[in-house]
Amino acid sequence: LADLCGKWEAAADRVPAERTVKLRFGIVLSGGGGFLDQVVPLFQRLGASRLGDGSQWFSWIHIDDLTALLMRALTDPSMGGAYNAVAPWPVTNAEQTAELAKAIQAYLVPPVPSLALRLAYGELATALLSSQRVRSERLDGFKFRYLHFEDALKDLFPAWEVGELQIKREQWVPAGTDQIWEFFSSEKNLERITPPFLGFHVRAMNTEKIKEGTEIDYTLNLHGLPIAWRSKISEWKEKTHFADTQLQGPYKKWFHRHDFEPLAGGVLLKDHVRFVFPPGLAGRLVAGGKVSGDVKKIFDYRAKIIDGIFCPR
């Protein structure tokens, strides 16, 4: 991996430019994909387990700090050359596992033996078991919002419940805020952006138009089982965001916040879903992966339909 990074940087140096900034990313911590999107579901279903003896170092950066650093690299003419884009305080794999388990309310389980990793992953096991204790001295003066791993996790997983999962999605569309708000604040368009396999249908609302406090009744099918779902609009700020909370339905908890942020002549659509599957540990082991996969399919379908509506080719 170090050789590959060296080749990337050598290629970058051959590009004609007044200034070249090369950022060496640590593991990026984000609630919307990447490393945590792979690890958290496994920890929730099977328990949190360190790799080998857990002494290997783990260098990381919160996605908000990385974004700020990228903006600085683009706009600060004093920056040039290579920089390690990592937070100042790395953690060991054992520390990382314990902190993540605490943040997402997962159980700690015995470690995965090094030999098992080598048998399962071959050469890739070396990347999992070796240390990357990277320092960021050249970023002197850059103000990190998240210096410590624990603080980054608190931001990404606030007030987490046992078994809770989350999905974050973002999608930019070239449309005006008024147009977007009119579309998403209408219950009629919910059926339009929901995949057919759910058999989703809006039955009734207790108000003429959607607003804070509106309760909406739906019907849908989950793998052939008819489900009645009732949600309440628990947050509502005109043309900015709204949130719906499940009152009755298949989940122990379901909270979905929709944000609409003007950006670059269009609107950035943000979805943040937090949900808990009801049957506890046994249910998560049997169906947790399937449920999470279904929810992701729903949002993949939404993104495709929204793109077709607002970004016609």
Side-chain angles (χ1 to χ4, degrees):
L1 292 177
D3 290 341
L4 179 60
C5 183
K7 292 178 180 178
W8 283 341
E9 293 185 359
D13 287 335
R14 291 194 292 270
V15 177
E18 292 184 7
R19 181 171 62 92
T20 300
V21 180
K22 297 169 286 188
L23 298 179
R24 300 163 176 167
F25 290 11
I27 298 297
V28 181
L29 302 184
S30 164
F35 168 76
L36 292 177
D37 196 43
Q38 302 297 317
V39 173
V40 168
L42 288 175
F43 278 19
Q44 293 251 324
R45 292 175 60 203
L46 305 176
S49 178
R50 71 176 189 265
L51 304 178
D53 64 10
S55 63
Q56 64 271 37
W57 287 92
F58 173 91
S59 293
W60 58 275
I61 185 169
H62 189 291
I63 193 169
D64 289 351
D65 284 330
L66 179 58
T67 303
L69 182 57
L70 285 166
M71 290 301 297
R72 178 174 168 180
L74 287 166
T75 59
D76 185 350
S78 70
M79 288 189 71
Y83 296 83
N84 294 327
V86 296
W89 301 107
V91 292
T92 65
N93 175 255
E95 293 169 336
Q96 170 250 314
T97 302
E99 291 292 350
L100 184 53
K102 179 181 175 182
I104 64 174
Q105 298 291 301
Y107 302 101
L108 283 171
V109 296
V112 179
S114 301
L115 178 60
L117 288 170
R118 291 192 175 94
L119 291 173
Y121 297 109
E123 186 179 356
L124 178 59
T126 303
L128 299 174
L129 295 168
S130 60
S131 284
Q132 290 187 335
R133 192 174 186 178
V134 183
R135 299 190 179 276
S136 53
E137 280 92 345
R138 285 205 71 204
L139 294 177
D140 183 40
F142 178 78
K143 296 188 180 299
F144 286 90
R145 289 179 60 190
Y146 302 98
L147 293 169
H148 300 283
F149 191 71
E150 179 182 3
D151 295 330
L153 294 182
K154 285 180 179 178
D155 173 71
L156 296 170
F157 303 103
W160 222 239
E161 295 183 21
V162 174
E164 184 166 342
L165 297 171
Q166 73 173 350
I167 289 179
K168 289 185 177 181
R169 291 293 181 93
E170 295 185 357
Q171 182 177 7
W172 182 86
V173 292
T177 302
D178 291 345
Q179 182 186 6
I180 291 296
W181 182 260
E182 181 180 359
F183 181 87
F184 283 95
S185 61
S186 170
E187 77 284 357
K188 296 178 182 177
N189 289 320
L190 290 175
E191 295 183 17
R192 188 176 178 186
I193 61 175
T194 303
F197 74 82
L198 282 178
F200 183 86
H201 178 64
V202 178
R203 292 175 52 221
M205 294 196 320
N206 68 342
T207 59
E208 184 177 348
K209 292 184 177 181
I210 295 181
K211 58 183 181 180
E212 187 168 352
T214 295
E215 295 184 8
I216 309 174
D217 288 306
Y218 322 91
T219 56
L220 64 151
N221 287 287
L222 290 178
H223 303 287
L225 297 175
I227 301 291
W229 188 319
R230 174 175 292 174
S231 66
K232 180 179 180 178
I233 304 301
S234 52
E235 298 177 19
W236 183 271
K237 187 174 181 181
E238 193 83 13
K239 299 180 183 179
T240 301
H241 79 270
F242 67 89
D244 57 272
T245 303
Q246 177 193 277
L247 298 179
Q248 174 188 332
Y251 297 95
K252 180 181 177 183
K253 169 184 176 179
W254 176 278
F255 175 83
H256 181 188
R257 177 171 166 131
H258 316 247
D259 284 274
F260 309 94
E261 179 183 318
L263 178 68
V267 177
L268 183 65
L269 312 176
K270 296 182 177 181
D271 290 281
H272 185 190
V273 180
R274 295 174 62 173
F275 61 99
V276 180
F277 193 63
L281 177 60
R284 295 201 306 275
L285 288 172
V286 174
K290 179 63 176 175
V291 171
S292 297
D294 285 346
V295 174
K296 289 179 180 180
K297 287 178 183 177
I298 292 170
F299 281 92
D300 289 343
Y301 181 87
R302 282 168 58 99
K304 181 179 179 180
I305 297 300
I306 290 167
D307 187 64
I309 294 171
F310 295 103
C311 312
R313 300 300 192 271

